[in-house]
Amino acid sequence: MSTTAAAHHASTVDRFEVRANDAARTDEERARLLESPAFGTVFTDHMARVTWTADGGWADRRVERYGPLSMDPASAVLHYGQEIFEGLKAYAHADGSVWSFRPEANARRFAASARRLALPELPVEDFLGSVEALVRTDRGWVPSGGETSLYLRPFMFASETFLGVRPAREVEYVVIASPVGPYFASGVKPVSIWVSTDYHRAGPGGTGAAKCGGNYAASLLPQQEAYARGCEQVCFLDATTSTLVEELGGMNVFVVGADGTVSTPELTGSILEGVTRSSILTLLAEAGHDVQERPIPLAEVRAGLEDGSVAEVFACGTAAVVTPIGRLASDEFDLTVGDGGTGAVTASVRAQLTDIQYGRAADPHGWMRRLA
Ligand SMILES: *Cc1c(COP(=O)(O)O)cnc(C)c1O
């Protein structure tokens, strides 16, 4: 296994007490559910959980039966949205071992999100331990073959029963897992993007760099607007000038020049720092591309698409890895990217990443961590 990544952080997997679900599904039921799960609809038999109180800190690390959480109607999260989450995957390799991709980065980002939402920081070792304990317990739920994976969703919320406005003194951390089929069931397909001029997802000093449910809530109405205009996703602009490309509701964006230059918006505090984004910056720089993190004016992308100096645009994130963008539209323009298909750089970086994640290529950066 990759010693570099693993050596940085021990995990507390042994401190998670496994309380087995005595109503776990049978092998036959599981096999049927694993046949073609739609994203986020099927969940495994267990969940990992740690409870925090202001007085006692993090306690009661456990893996327990997956099921409804019982909470008081006055639980703070239901009123003020004090909540954060993460998303990462467990990948089955050909030899049957199970791995995750840069989970320490998710753990660190989770702690940073917690700080911004005035939630307690979960130690990196507990984040890693919870994921490992859950995947070991529900190992039979990790799908194999094709681009399938077990999607892991760690989240944390204010569980204290209290309507006063202040950081909660009781918090739950939970990890659930959901087997997912290939994101693009019939091959990678370019998406169309609506550039929102009416709405922003984040502003200076806001929560844009934190992975919190509230950011997603704010993106749903513009997302509806995109659908109504025949587009699948929204691209947001910066809240100050409405001229700079920021990102999609849940994915970062890259622009590839005809000269091979690759650009992505610099981290301004209102952009979420994707693990996929950072990995792509590394891979493309190593492949010899001139890689730039900088402000990207929408006007530059528009002009580039019109005169051919912009060759490819793609979005990236854990769920879909790399998604080509085939069309960019707004009230004022409707442009096809390249020939509307998947560009060479997009296809190549997607293949490089998935080859590492599924163990088909070497892992020189120590990005993979063995879970089971
Ligand atoms: C999660 C997320 C991303 C992608 O991050 P990855 O770590 O690559 O999955 C991008 N933008 C937003 C707003 C996100 O919430």
Side-chain angles (χ1 to χ4, degrees):
M1 74 180 278
S2 65
T3 46
T4 22
H8 289 142
H9 291 289
S11 99
T12 57
V13 63
D14 297 330
R15 294 173 67 187
F16 280 76
E17 180 195 321
V18 179
R19 305 174 189 163
N21 179 354
D22 52 19
R25 280 151 292 185
T26 63
D27 290 351
E28 292 72 36
E29 284 171 315
R30 193 175 64 236
R32 189 178 50 76
L33 287 166
L34 283 173
E35 269 166 25
S36 60
F39 181 84
T41 58
V42 173
F43 298 92
T44 65
D45 290 316
H46 298 86
M47 58 191 184
R49 192 162 174 186
V50 190
T51 300
W52 181 89
T53 56
D55 295 334
W58 292 107
D60 206 9
R61 292 165 182 80
R62 70 247 194 224
V63 172
E64 62 186 26
R65 176 179 180 163
Y66 180 95
L69 299 165
S70 159
M71 52 204 246
D72 193 282
S75 294
V77 66
L78 299 177
H79 304 274
Y80 309 125
Q82 199 189 5
E83 186 267 356
I84 56 169
F85 68 95
E86 268 302 324
L88 67 167
K89 289 172 168 175
Y91 309 87
H93 286 188
D95 65 358
S97 57
V98 179
W99 301 72
S100 60
F101 181 75
R102 307 186 71 181
E104 303 86 356
N106 297 91
R108 285 194 300 269
R109 186 170 69 189
F110 197 59
S113 298
R115 275 196 294 283
R116 180 62 186 83
L117 274 286
L119 284 161
E121 286 177 45
L122 181 77
V124 166
E125 309 78 64
D126 280 327
F127 183 98
L128 298 175
S130 63
V131 161
E132 218 170 308
L134 179 60
V135 170
R136 286 187 194 174
T137 307
D138 281 335
R139 185 178 184 146
W141 286 91
V142 184
S144 57
E147 213 173 276
T148 60
S149 62
L150 184 66
Y151 184 80
L152 302 165
R153 168 54 59 85
F155 60 104
M156 187 196 294
F157 62 92
S159 56
E160 185 182 358
T161 303
F162 182 51
L163 290 185
V165 180
R166 61 149 169 73
R169 295 174 59 80
E170 289 167 29
V171 166
E172 290 291 328
Y173 165 71
V174 184
V175 190
I176 55 175
S178 175
V180 293
Y183 194 88
F184 296 99
S186 48
V188 175
K189 193 176 122 315
V191 295
S192 52
I193 299 292
W194 179 257
V195 181
S196 180
T197 45
D198 297 339
Y199 300 103
H200 295 104
R201 77 172 269 286
T207 56
K211 212 169 174 73
C212 62
N215 290 341
Y216 280 71
S219 75
L220 298 178
L221 182 63
Q223 176 68 49
Q224 260 182 342
E225 184 185 69
Y227 280 139
R229 308 301 188 106
C231 291
E232 288 144 284
Q233 297 267 337
V234 189
C235 177
F236 292 98
L237 302 175
D238 76 289
T240 307
T241 68
S242 284
T243 60
L244 303 174
V245 173
E246 290 218 313
E247 61 171 321
L248 310 190
M251 284 192 271
N252 296 115
V253 183
F254 279 80
V255 177
V256 184
D259 63 358
T261 302
V262 179
S263 312
T264 192
E266 63 181 349
L267 301 173
T268 55
S270 53
I271 293 175
L272 196 288
E273 182 174 5
V275 179
T276 319
R277 172 189 181 278
S278 114
S279 309
I280 287 173
L281 285 170
T282 300
L283 291 175
L284 289 179
E286 285 171 0
H289 289 271
D290 176 7
V291 173
Q292 305 175 357
E293 295 179 74
R294 62 177 175 88
I296 302 181
L298 175 64
E300 176 194 313
V301 180
R302 276 179 70 177
L305 290 174
E306 274 158 5
D307 69 16
S309 58
V310 167
E312 307 175 28
V313 184
F314 64 83
C316 65
T318 296
V321 196
V322 169
T323 306
I325 294 175
R327 182 182 153 221
L328 211 58
S330 90
D331 280 324
E332 287 163 25
F333 59 88
D334 194 338
L335 296 162
T336 301
V337 181
D339 61 4
T342 303
V345 175
T346 304
S348 147
V349 79
R350 184 174 211 287
Q352 274 188 74
L353 260 181
T354 52
D355 282 351
I356 294 171
Q357 291 168 338
Y358 287 94
R360 296 184 296 253
D363 172 28
H365 307 95
W367 283 342
M368 303 305 291
R369 181 189 176 99
R370 186 162 181 180
L371 298 176

